[in-house]
Amino acid sequence: MQTVYEAAGSADFFLRLANAWHARVMADEVVSHAFSHGFHPQHSHRLAAYWTEALGGPPVYSDSYGDETSVIRLHSGNGPHEDMDRRAVACFDQTLADVGLADDDPVRKVLHNYFTWAATTTMSRYQRSAEDVPDWLRIPHWSWDGPVGETGSGGADSRPSAKGP
């Protein structure tokens, strides 16, 4: 079966999506607050690499930028922000239209479901402090049917087993 990554059009699609989403959120008065502290100059490339890996593509993010722990820590310690999460999902839905995905496109539906899940669970789980985020988290993977494998703490535990690799 084709991965979500493959069905979406691979890396070029995710870079277009990341660029379009970033432009949308920067124009949103609520969601743009998340970037008020600044952001990495390669934010869209890094985001595209993260989505690529999470949705069945190559592990570009993990190989080049970091792990799930670093991503979750970046998004943690900001207190509750349900309104911002809802607005981020609305921006993402508009972005899906911006990049040409029709309302009835199955890729659009799965991307909406993935983004909603990520925004409201993994990225907002540690509201009190980034210090609460455990080490060794791996980027959770998402398929046509939802999360793949263990995703209990925002990503699978990738610590080496006591029994060896």
Side-chain angles (χ1 to χ4, degrees):
M1 176 180 234
Q2 193 177 41
T3 66
V4 176
Y5 166 78
E6 293 164 336
S10 300
D12 290 340
F13 170 81
F14 286 102
L15 183 55
R16 278 190 313 119
L17 183 65
N19 282 325
W21 184 79
H22 188 77
R24 274 228 176 251
V25 299
M26 293 308 288
D28 184 280
E29 64 188 33
V30 173
V31 185
S32 64
H33 177 72
F35 296 94
S36 62
H37 65 281
F39 52 89
H40 193 281
Q42 294 293 314
H43 177 259
S44 292
H45 282 84
R46 295 163 68 96
L47 180 58
Y50 182 88
W51 286 341
T52 290
E53 186 168 340
L55 294 160
V60 176
Y61 192 89
S62 294
D63 290 349
S64 301
Y65 303 117
D67 61 8
E68 183 72 355
T69 296
S70 63
V71 173
I72 300 300
R73 284 183 179 150
L74 183 66
H75 290 87
S76 296
N78 300 307
H81 45 76
E82 290 86 9
D83 185 46
M84 184 181 294
D85 294 343
R86 279 190 296 280
R87 297 277 293 255
V89 170
C91 285
F92 189 76
D93 287 343
Q94 292 170 330
T95 300
L96 294 172
D98 293 345
V99 297
L101 292 177
D103 287 342
D104 62 349
D105 188 322
V107 170
R108 182 177 177 148
K109 180 180 179 183
V110 76
L111 290 176
H112 163 83
N113 291 343
Y114 164 73
F115 188 87
T116 301
W117 171 80
T120 60
T121 60
T122 61
M123 298 299 160
S124 62
R125 179 162 288 148
Y126 299 97
Q127 297 175 356
R128 190 181 66 80
S129 172
E131 308 266 329
D132 296 337
V133 180
D135 292 331
W136 308 105
L137 296 178
R138 287 183 294 156
I139 294 173
H141 294 137
W142 189 269
S143 75
W144 295 100
D145 299 320
V148 175
E150 181 185 351
T151 58
S153 295
D157 186 337
S158 62
R159 285 178 285 192
S161 164
K163 298 176 185 174

